[in-house]
Amino acid sequence: MKKSSSKSKETTFSADDGHVKMFLRGRPVTMHLPDQFKGTYNLDSKLDLPENKLKLQWVYGYRGRDCRCNLFLLPTGEIVYFIASVVVLYNVEEQQQRHYLGHNDDVKCLAVHPDMVTVATGQVAGNSKDGKLLPPHVRVWDSVSLNTLHVIGMGVFDRAVTCVAFSKSNGGAHLCAVDDANDHILSVWDWHKEKQLADVKCSNDSVLAATFHPMEAGLIVTCGKSHINFWTVDGNTLTKRQGLFEKHEKPKYVLCVAFAENGDAITGDSSGNIYIWGKGGNRISQVVAGAHEGGIFSLCVLKDGTLVSGGGKDRKVLFWDRNYQKQHELEVPEMFGPVRCLTEGKEESLFVGTTRNAILEGSISGNLRPIVQGHTDELWGLDAHPSLEQFISCGQDKLVHLWDILSHQPLWSKYIEDPARSAGFHPSGSVVAIGTMTARWLVLDTETKDLVSMHTDGNEIISIVKYSPDGKYLAVGSHDNFIYVYEVTENGKKYSRVGKCTGHSSYVTHLDWSMDSKFIVTNSGDYEILFWDASSCKHVTNIDTVRNLEWATSTCVLGFTVFGIWPDGVDGTDINAVCRSHNQKLLASADDFGNVNLFSNPCCQPRAPSYVYGGHSSHVTNVAFLHDDSHLISIGGKDMSIIQWTIA
């Protein structure tokens, strides 16, 4: 029965009526052929793969918001960190990135072997396109060749691997990991043999760090919610000694652990205290009370024995001598947020990862400057500049970044009052419109980032803001099912409402303008394709009026020239965005499976072939070709990453 019902839902072509009908979740979607296809179109023709391919060139952002101990300097001069499912090796001096792409979902933890070449990274459980579970595991790889050496713990870990570390004193032969099961299982592995040596229930509460002692081969220290434990590995058993706080304040969380040159363990906690635990013991031998106001998120011991501590609430980076006397302090600017992770750089430099997903570089004597910036919440708004090597991104973190693709840095950043959802440049490039989650939309000057204009339409999400090709109109698509049309004067400085397009029975998802700026085509949440006369806001029902129009962009995911992007059996929400290259040869799509797909344009055969690119770990929300088709930009939703691809 199932087979025949799916058979009846195959895409059909009616030559007489000049339309193709496809089905999404059982709903028919009718798409009309332009006259140029009449008489020659055939559903069974096969499309070729595109003549170009994508190559991952740059990843913007860093995952500091909810991950720890994930920033290290390698002898190659590269810092290594992760975001989404990509591990980034970034040479700041040479402005080069390399990428380890072995993971198929979010990376959550990172460790560097004492040989300073071998790296271990752990990931979460994911879902593949066909709904199969991708088990959480640890990958051990070579940071020079980027080859995967070992894959550890497939089918053993639960939910995610949250902590990973190599042993330090026995040549780094062992690896420990903690998973995200209810019991937070601590396991020890011979990673060369991919063999588990021991495991034990670590804690009911969250475990925030696990690390081997630098001198005592069989000693592992774990810490987290209201605990610090010292574990001894003996054959296949792990024996626990709890850290005793005795007369000292017991913190809600022990947040981080490091080791002094003499082997003492040093912890930072949520109360802002630094505790020193005498080597080999489980008792506190020294206290730096109130070292920070609020929690201490990271501790790092430099080669010269200096201890560096990074504060949460106070955003301070403090330097302490061997006797725990404070020597210097730096402060992270408020825009970049609390310290998440500290690591020693070359000579006197220091790298600071922050909870607002930035990485800063500085030194004891100098200021901290940002070298990696990103977003800290779900990301949907993206548009490429009409004539420059720039693009805009905005997200639910209320942050708008105008990026330069050559320096990989924001030209400017601006916080706005509402979470952002959409963005669109005026064809002159002088202003950019931003749509928000609160029915407000605003216009910013791209030179000065000043607010030029602000309006509210309806009371729902503004899913699209798009200027007409001649720059005289702005169309604003909303989740209230309407499209609001504005007349634009003074080069994007002045806006007056023309009217609103009413007729959709669900929220507006995508919108394109005709080349002559007279018509608009829209898609909606219930898979409708509607056409509108821009100057009157009237619904155009005569298909012959619009059948042969040329469209300035191709961002609607439903339409005759793009319907081949839909794979078999998908839900109508599984493709979030599509974009056509300016030379009209390529079509890129962004899907819910973490992939960017590259097709030939036009894409008007069912289930067209494509090249598929991973890197994002959650739904890819938007894609945009740069004005000269040199690059494609893609943005991830919950993974908050921006990926820049070269077109080869």
Side-chain angles (χ1 to χ4, degrees), residues 297-298 309-312 315-317 332 337-342 352-355:
F297 283 4
S298 185
S309 61
R315 303 191 315 278
K316 289 211 162 96
V317 177
V332 174
V339 176
R340 170 59 82 203
C341 188
L342 298 163
V352 183
T354 79
T355 62

Side-chain angles (χ1 to χ4, degrees), residues 242-306:
Q242 282 184 317
L244 304 174
F245 289 92
E246 297 172 323
K247 65 179 189 283
H248 304 288
E249 177 188 6
K250 187 175 186 184
K252 210 169 184 178
Y253 287 90
V254 180
L255 296 169
C256 52
V257 59
F259 296 96
E261 296 165 304
N262 64 0
D264 288 353
I266 311 167
T267 58
D269 62 42
S270 51
S271 304
N273 300 322
I274 295 174
Y275 289 146
I276 290 89
W277 306 75
K279 181 184 173 189
N282 59 339
R283 286 188 155 83
I284 294 169
S285 62
Q286 200 175 339
V287 176
V288 184
H292 285 265
E293 184 192 338
I296 298 172
F297 283 4
S298 185
L299 290 169
C300 166
V301 177
L302 306 182
K303 289 188 190 72
D304 67 3
T306 302

Side-chain angles (χ1 to χ4, degrees), residues 381-383 390-394 400-403 412 423 425 432 434:
L382 171 72
D383 197 23
Q390 296 171 9
F391 66 91
I392 200 120
S393 65
C394 57
V400 182
H401 284 305
L402 177 67
W403 299 93
W412 54 253
F425 278 101
V432 64
I434 306 290

Side-chain angles (χ1 to χ4, degrees), residues 185-411:
I185 304 296
L186 167 67
S187 54
V188 180
W189 302 76
D190 177 330
W191 60 269
H192 281 290
K193 294 184 179 155
E194 300 178 13
K195 184 168 146 255
Q196 187 174 319
L197 303 174
D199 70 342
V200 69
K201 171 183 163 177
C202 189
S203 167
N204 288 331
D205 296 313
S206 51
V207 178
L208 302 177
T211 180
F212 279 90
H213 193 281
M215 300 163 194
E216 297 180 45
L219 185 61
I220 296 171
V221 183
T222 62
C223 64
K225 189 172 180 185
S226 60
H227 76 273
I228 173 168
N229 293 330
F230 298 86
W231 304 87
T232 310
V233 190
D234 191 5
N236 61 356
T237 56
L238 278 157
T239 324
K240 173 170 85 174
R241 284 178 305 155
Q242 282 184 317
L244 304 174
F245 289 92
E246 297 172 323
K247 65 179 189 283
H248 304 288
E249 177 188 6
K250 187 175 186 184
K252 210 169 184 178
Y253 287 90
V254 180
L255 296 169
C256 52
V257 59
F259 296 96
E261 296 165 304
N262 64 0
D264 288 353
I266 311 167
T267 58
D269 62 42
S270 51
S271 304
N273 300 322
I274 295 174
Y275 289 146
I276 290 89
W277 306 75
K279 181 184 173 189
N282 59 339
R283 286 188 155 83
I284 294 169
S285 62
Q286 200 175 339
V287 176
V288 184
H292 285 265
E293 184 192 338
I296 298 172
F297 283 4
S298 185
L299 290 169
C300 166
V301 177
L302 306 182
K303 289 188 190 72
D304 67 3
T306 302
L307 172 70
V308 189
S309 61
K313 191 177 170 189
D314 66 7
R315 303 191 315 278
K316 289 211 162 96
V317 177
L318 305 180
F319 295 79
W320 309 83
D321 67 15
R322 285 186 176 81
N323 303 318
Y324 304 105
Q325 299 298 309
K326 189 161 84 177
Q327 301 294 308
H328 299 277
E329 70 173 62
L330 296 171
E331 190 172 317
V332 174
E334 188 177 4
M335 176 173 174
F336 303 119
V339 176
R340 170 59 82 203
C341 188
L342 298 163
T343 197
E344 185 168 9
K346 282 198 279 202
E347 282 126 23
E348 281 206 335
S349 74
L350 184 78
F351 293 101
V352 183
T354 79
T355 62
R356 284 203 182 155
N357 296 346
I359 300 175
L360 312 171
E361 184 181 14
S363 62
I364 293 183
S365 47
N367 287 344
L368 293 164
R369 69 179 184 97
I371 53 170
V372 174
Q373 292 181 64
H375 284 274
T376 57
D377 207 338
E378 197 162 329
L379 204 48
W380 283 83
L382 171 72
D383 197 23
H385 192 286
S387 55
L388 300 174
E389 273 64 65
Q390 296 171 9
F391 66 91
I392 200 120
S393 65
C394 57
Q396 292 184 14
D397 54 5
K398 307 181 183 176
L399 189 54
V400 182
H401 284 305
L402 177 67
W403 299 93
D404 171 46
I405 71 143
L406 301 172
S407 70
H408 313 110
Q409 294 294 338
L411 293 162

